[in-house]
Amino acid sequence: MNLFAYNEFGKLISAKNASRSQDYFCLECKGKLRAKQGVKKIFHFFHIHQARDCRQSKKSLEHTMAQNSLLALLPRGESFLEKPFPEIGRVADVFWEKEKIVFEVQCSPISPFEVLNRVRDYNSIGLTCIWILHEKRFGGYLKTKGWSLDRIPHYYTNMTKDQEGFFYDRYFFKKRMVFLNKPQKIEKKQYSNWPKEIQNRLQNRSLCFEGDFVSSYLKEKPHTEDYFKEAKRKTYAAFRHLSALVHIILKNFGWR
């Protein structure tokens, strides 16, 4: 689901201002698009011919709503949806020009290799890439176990098709709402004596956002440390409960 496309003259056009009878072109794959609006869906472009390798064509409604919600949070005139960067062959979901931050929303499966490649591409042109992972796909610990999550700046969202939801930071089963319009730069020397959990998060990060665990630690160290302890306790308790439940099931079926 594309929100923007090029017209025949190479001008960027919003789906809201597009003609339904005119051909447009995808920012990513350059395939032909047409504009439409469904009963439940917002104005958007669709590919006339199936484009399996085009990321823009695979965006869900939750993805688009998360993009719109992010844009609404950021200062008007400084931020843009689906900003193309032809020099690296990327199209950013949301670009905050003044802060040089790219937000990439992810609602579908993706390989760690592609994640790291995208981060490196944006870094190569001086941009910070922040990932927003939808909890429907990445909400559980086991679902993200194969990821190198500590290696990339990321947060979560529970945004629905009706644009209801918020953005949050998570540590195991603990959540904190995060304000992505309020970035805060962090110097490496500041956290040499911080808890390991905080240091792991900042190994490859140069900033945090108001409300996340790093900014909270800066403001209220004892309270945030209690968060880490409680999150670990609940996580271990959940795994012990699950292990016991599996043991009972196996025993009842005579498998153990």
Side-chain angles (χ1 to χ4, degrees):
M1 184 187 299
N2 304 53
L3 299 179
F4 290 84
Y6 291 125
N7 65 10
E8 59 183 318
F9 304 108
K11 183 180 179 181
L12 198 63
I13 303 294
S14 167
K16 290 182 180 180
N17 302 320
S19 167
R20 295 192 180 191
S21 60
Q22 183 177 334
D23 287 342
Y24 296 89
F25 302 92
C26 179
L27 306 181
E28 184 172 329
C29 71
K30 313 306 179 190
K32 284 187 179 182
L33 307 176
R34 283 290 179 93
K36 73 174 183 178
Q37 182 189 28
V39 177
K40 294 183 179 180
K41 293 186 177 182
I42 60 174
F43 285 104
H44 65 282
F45 293 101
F46 69 96
H47 284 70
I48 296 177
H49 304 292
Q50 191 174 17
R52 293 181 179 179
D53 297 327
C54 180
R55 177 173 171 264
Q56 299 295 314
S57 69
K58 298 176 182 178
K59 289 182 179 179
S60 64
L61 191 52
E62 290 95 338
H63 186 129
T64 305
M65 291 306 180
Q67 282 181 267
N68 286 334
S69 295
L70 263 172
L71 186 69
L73 283 173
L74 305 178
R76 184 174 297 181
E78 297 179 8
S79 310
F80 309 93
L81 289 177
E82 297 184 1
K83 169 68 176 177
F85 292 94
E87 63 269 43
I88 58 172
R90 299 291 184 185
V91 179
D93 282 330
V94 180
F95 176 49
W96 190 353
E97 186 174 37
K98 182 180 178 181
E99 298 293 336
K100 295 185 177 181
I101 296 174
V102 163
F103 294 98
E104 288 285 80
V105 178
Q106 195 65 35
C107 300
S108 58
I110 188 171
S111 71
F113 179 78
E114 170 59 20
V115 171
L116 293 175
N117 270 353
R118 213 176 292 178
V119 170
R120 289 171 185 145
D121 285 346
Y122 286 121
N123 289 168
S124 72
I125 57 173
L127 304 178
T128 298
C129 181
I130 307 294
W131 284 83
I132 308 297
L133 308 176
H134 200 288
E135 68 175 24
K136 189 164 67 175
R137 170 62 61 176
F138 304 97
Y141 173 71
L142 294 177
K143 291 182 181 178
T144 56
K145 194 174 181 180
W147 277 54
S148 301
L149 284 177
D150 284 338
R151 298 179 61 186
I152 60 168
H154 66 281
Y155 297 100
Y156 297 87
T157 185
N158 57 359
M159 199 64 59
T160 68
K161 295 178 181 180
D162 298 319
Q163 204 169 350
E164 295 178 354
F166 55 91
F167 302 98
Y168 63 90
D169 192 9
R170 192 185 76 194
Y171 180 75
F172 285 96
F173 295 138
K174 283 287 187 177
K175 300 178 181 179
R176 291 185 70 102
M177 188 178 292
V178 60
F179 299 90
L180 296 173
N181 58 336
K182 298 180 179 179
Q184 179 181 350
K185 291 186 177 181
I186 299 293
E187 296 180 13
K188 299 282 185 181
K189 62 182 180 181
Q190 285 185 254
Y191 64 86
S192 58
N193 296 320
W194 289 11
K196 185 178 179 180
E197 291 86 355
I198 296 289
Q199 292 193 44
N200 287 341
R201 284 170 174 261
L202 290 177
Q203 281 181 349
N204 295 288
R205 307 186 193 194
S206 58
L207 52 81
C208 60
F209 292 84
E210 185 173 318
D212 70 14
F213 281 105
V214 174
S215 68
S216 299
Y217 184 80
L218 286 170
K219 294 179 180 179
E220 41 181 335
K221 293 182 181 180
H223 180 64
T224 308
E225 286 181 350
D226 289 341
Y227 255 78
F228 288 133
K229 292 176 183 177
E230 178 66 10
K232 282 184 177 179
R233 186 190 67 77
K234 285 193 172 184
T235 300
Y236 296 147
F239 279 120
R240 284 198 300 270
H241 177 75
L242 179 61
S243 177
L245 183 60
V246 170
H247 178 77
I248 292 171
I249 293 173
L250 292 176
K251 187 176 180 180
N252 287 341
F253 279 91
W255 294 340
R256 290 193 64 175

